[in-house]
Amino acid sequence: MAYNSNMVRSTGPRGQGPAYLTVVVNNREVQRRPLTGPITVGRSLECDLFLEDPLLSRRHFRLEPALEGDGWVLLELGSRNGTYVNAKRVPERRPLDHGDVITVGKTHLRFKAHGYVPPRPADPSEAMMLPA
C-alpha cells in the first residue's frame, strides 16, 4: 500500500497528539517515538527505529498508515525470529489497535493510537534546554 498523508490519523480524539510507540526493555521504557509516517524497525543503523537486540533481523518489520484498526498496520519483513502482536505471531500483515504490544526478540513496543507526549527529562537541567 502506498503512503498517503491523508490516511494518517495524526491526532486522536479531541486532538490529543499523534500515534506513538514506547520501547520497553527489561520492564523499563527506553524510548518513546511519535509515528508521523511509515517507519522500518530492526537492528540495522539504516532503519528508522534502530533496536540493539541480537534476536532482531536487520530489517525486522515496518509500520505504515492504514485504514483498518486504529490507523496503522504492521508488515512483517520475513524476519528469522518473527514478530508477535499480543503474543501471537504475525504472518505477514496485521492492523494495530490502541494498546497492542509488539514483541521482537527481548524488546516490547507498545502501540498507542493517540496521545503522544514527549518523555520527561531525567535531569532538571535538561528541561531548561527544551523549547517552550
Side-chain angles (χ1 to χ4, degrees):
M1 171 183 268
Y3 172 68
N4 178 344
S5 62
N6 293 330
M7 290 174 33
V8 177
R9 296 179 191 175
S10 62
T11 58
R14 297 181 205 93
Q16 294 178 343
Y20 67 100
L21 291 175
T22 56
V23 180
V24 178
V25 178
N26 295 326
N27 295 319
R28 188 170 150 253
E29 181 180 319
V30 296
Q31 191 174 155
R32 191 176 302 172
R33 169 86 183 243
L35 298 174
T36 57
I39 67 165
T40 302
V41 179
R43 65 178 168 81
S44 169
L45 292 173
E46 295 175 7
C47 288
D48 302 303
L49 179 54
F50 162 75
L51 299 174
E52 198 168 348
D53 185 331
L55 296 175
L56 266 68
S57 295
R58 286 181 190 94
R59 290 176 24 102
H60 205 94
F61 70 88
R62 181 171 174 81
L63 295 180
E64 294 181 353
L67 295 176
E68 64 269 65
D70 277 328
W72 289 87
V73 67
L74 182 145
L75 303 169
E76 221 298 323
L77 298 177
S79 64
R80 179 174 292 183
N81 294 316
T83 302
Y84 297 80
V85 174
N86 302 330
K88 293 181 182 169
R89 190 169 184 146
V90 175
E92 293 178 7
R93 183 178 195 281
R94 184 188 189 284
L96 294 175
D97 292 314
H98 184 76
D100 280 348
V101 176
I102 303 164
T103 303
V104 288
K106 296 180 180 182
T107 306
H108 302 285
L109 301 98
R110 184 171 302 274
F111 171 76
K112 299 289 186 169
H114 51 79
Y116 174 73
V117 175
R120 287 182 75 174
D123 184 332
S125 64
E126 291 177 26
M128 299 299 291
M129 301 180 79
L130 293 174

